[in-house]
Amino acid sequence: SIRRQRQMCIRDRPVALQQMINDMGKKVYRHLKLLEEVGFVKVEIRGKSKYCLVTQNFSEYFGLSTEPEVMKKQLRNFYLKL
């Protein structure tokens, strides 16, 4: 799901696109395109590999810190409350 892909991008910052495809299948491409269109993630090419990263737009929209470790803690606390 899009939610799971977004979580991987946040948790593993950056996450290899190939890893996401291995974990979730080819639907990753369609979901990432949607997340890119709304400005929540961006895909960067590093060498021969592509990586998914969350954007500042994502942090601002959800009221999260832009610092990776702080963001992880905020999200962990949020999901523990669910």
Side-chain angles (χ1 to χ4, degrees), residues 29-46:
Y29 292 111
R30 184 178 62 237
H31 294 171
L32 281 179
K33 183 177 179 183
L34 292 171
L35 291 169
E36 278 186 296
E37 286 175 3
V38 295
F40 286 168
V41 299
K42 65 180 177 178
V43 176
E44 287 185 356
I45 299 173
R46 296 181 184 177

Side-chain angles (χ1 to χ4, degrees), residues 39-72:
F40 286 168
V41 299
K42 65 180 177 178
V43 176
E44 287 185 356
I45 299 173
R46 296 181 184 177
K48 294 183 179 181
S49 301
K50 293 182 180 181
Y51 290 87
C52 176
L53 301 130
V54 292
T55 63
Q56 186 171 349
N57 221 15
F58 175 87
S59 300
E60 291 171 1
Y61 183 84
F62 290 102
L64 300 169
S65 172
T66 56
E67 292 294 319
E69 292 305 314
V70 175
M71 183 188 289
K72 286 180 187 180

Side-chain angles (χ1 to χ4, degrees), residues 18-35:
Q18 187 61 48
Q19 179 185 348
M20 293 176 74
I21 293 167
N22 292 341
D23 291 348
M24 292 174 270
K26 300 275 184 186
K27 63 186 173 198
V28 167
Y29 292 111
R30 184 178 62 237
H31 294 171
L32 281 179
K33 183 177 179 183
L34 292 171
L35 291 169

